Amino acid sequence: SAVISQKPSRDICQRGTSLTIQCQVDSQVTMMFWYRQQPGQSLTLIATANQGSEATYESGFVIDKFPISRPNLTFSTLTVSNMSPEDSSIYLCSVVGPRGDTEAFFGQGTRLTVV
Amino acid sequence: DAKTTQPPSMDCAEGRAANLPCNHSTISGNEYVYWYRQIHSQGPQYIIHGLKNNETNEMASLIITEDRKSSTLILPHATLRDTAVYYCIVRSTTGNQFYFGTGTSLTVIP
């Protein structure tokens, strides 16, 4: 299994500002993903964080709004840029181990409130 | 990517088996079915996964129909701590992404 630490666990931000969320894994992992969970909703995949190259974004998500970095196999960041109240959500980091058929592990999430 | 359909909510009496259905009629032959649950304010927790055969672990059993178009997650003896949202997911074989559906909110009643 993989242990995932996300920072911060929660934050309250002013509209128009940006927040960077960190995801640290206790072991090297092949794949890392970022999800958004809006209040009362299911999880929506934002992007796949690729080590050493640009992230792959899902439909409806763009790099200018959600820039992602992944400098190595254990760490990634997601930035929520130019925030508005609609960005208030839980943002979760997820990883899949080196074996392709294993389950995904999730962090506890970052609860973001934009005021 | 295959989409899943689940009932929005279910109740189950404590100590009884909880049977959670999922439809995935567009699933491809090499796509796995995964089940996760999310207890309020926590990250999703892995339960079980399968491809064709039925699977069982210490948490649950997974029954997949022969045509693989649907599956059922069985919690054999539900407890109050099993109250959660349960997600049935078909995992993409191209990028290995996990796409979540709307899930079933299971309430275990004393």
Side-chain angles (χ1 to χ4, degrees), chain B residues 54-105:
Chain B
N54 298 336
E55 302 288 344
T56 296
N57 63 20
E58 65 278 4
M59 290 183 66
S61 295
L62 173 61
I63 308 298
I64 303 174
T65 59
E66 190 170 345
D67 63 7
R68 302 207 330 119
K69 293 184 176 181
S70 65
S71 61
T72 300
L73 178 74
I74 301 172
L75 307 178
H77 305 287
T79 71
L80 299 179
R81 288 177 294 181
D82 292 323
T83 293
V85 178
Y86 287 77
Y87 294 101
C88 168
I89 303 162
V90 173
R91 179 177 179 179
S92 165
T93 55
T94 54
N96 288 312
Q97 289 86 352
F98 287 74
Y99 293 98
F100 284 71
T102 54
T104 296
S105 178

Side-chain angles (χ1 to χ4, degrees), chain A residues 31 33 35 37 42-43 45 48 58 92 96 100-104 106-108 111, chain B residues 32 34 36 38 41-44 46 49 87 91 95-102:
Chain A
M31 310 194 72
F33 307 98
Y35 288 83
Q37 187 170 29
S42 179
L43 284 75
L45 181 63
T48 302
E58 298 293 315
L92 298 107
V96 173
D101 63 341
T102 57
E103 65 266 31
F106 289 81
Q108 290 304 300
R111 183 179 295 272
Chain B
Y32 283 80
Y34 281 73
Y36 279 76
Q38 187 176 30
S41 298
Q42 298 182 18
Y46 167 80
H49 75 283
Y87 294 101
R91 179 177 179 179
N96 288 312
Q97 289 86 352
F98 287 74
Y99 293 98
F100 284 71
T102 54

